[in-house]
Amino acid sequence: MRFSFIVFCLLLTGPALAADWVADPDQSALTFTARQQDADFQGEFENFTAEISFDPADPENTRISALIELGSVETQNNDRDTTLATPEWFDLGNWAESTYKATSAVATDDGWSAPGELSLKGVTLPVELAFQFTEDGDSASFTGTALIKRLDFN
């Protein structure tokens, strides 16, 4: 399953700390592309929070924290959304949330990379988040992707 983490227009959370950002839910999206029965489909988690402390001049002190409400998944297909709630996928009967946390970032040829940990269904595994960062005054854009295999979280 490939999750595309796309967050737009993160707003400044602290008046004196230009490196601290929080996702604006009205201007942010957490989308994914996944494969089921040899067909790709897209979806979105409608409820999530993300807090990011990032300064390109000090990437080793980066902090990323995201909380995803798994029951907020929406794929525009009711049958698929019902399937995603089952134990084979998100197991919503036992696990309502997923988290991603990273404690550093490094520059790459394409932007930045944040090695972190994704917790899903009670399993925590390392996940690399590749992202681009653009700052514009009191707002910023973080756009990134991470590749995971859902079966690794069983």
Side-chain angles (χ1 to χ4, degrees):
M1 177 188 306
R2 180 184 176 91
F3 280 93
S4 298
F5 176 71
I6 303 173
V7 180
F8 299 103
C9 298
L10 301 181
L11 299 180
L12 190 64
T13 60
L17 300 173
D20 290 341
W21 309 94
V22 63
D24 177 349
D26 293 330
Q27 299 184 61
S28 302
L30 179 57
T31 64
F32 64 90
T33 300
R35 178 170 286 259
Q36 182 182 24
Q37 298 177 349
D38 295 322
D40 287 346
F41 67 91
Q42 286 73 44
E44 177 177 2
F45 293 100
E46 295 179 337
N47 298 320
F48 70 96
T49 59
E51 296 178 0
I52 302 170
S53 180
F54 176 74
D55 181 348
D58 190 20
E60 56 275 353
N61 285 313
T62 294
R63 299 289 179 266
I64 300 172
S65 178
L67 176 73
I68 303 140
E69 293 180 26
L70 297 173
S72 73
V73 68
E74 176 60 53
T75 66
Q76 305 298 313
N77 180 305
N78 289 336
D79 289 339
R80 182 181 302 123
D81 292 346
T82 299
T83 298
L84 292 177
T86 66
E88 288 182 359
W89 286 81
F90 296 134
D91 194 7
L92 295 183
N94 292 306
W95 308 101
E97 299 172 337
S98 177
T99 60
Y100 177 80
K101 295 181 187 284
T103 57
S104 67
V106 295
T108 67
D109 291 341
D110 298 322
W112 300 92
S113 180
E117 292 185 332
L118 179 68
S119 294
L120 180 64
K121 293 171 48 172
V123 177
T124 301
L125 295 173
V127 171
E128 195 84 15
L129 175 65
F131 69 94
Q132 291 76 42
F133 167 77
T134 305
E135 187 174 3
D136 183 17
D138 286 346
S139 66
S141 171
F142 290 84
T143 304
T145 61
L147 179 64
I148 69 167
K149 295 179 182 176
R150 74 174 172 91
L151 295 177
D152 290 348
F153 291 89
N154 284 339

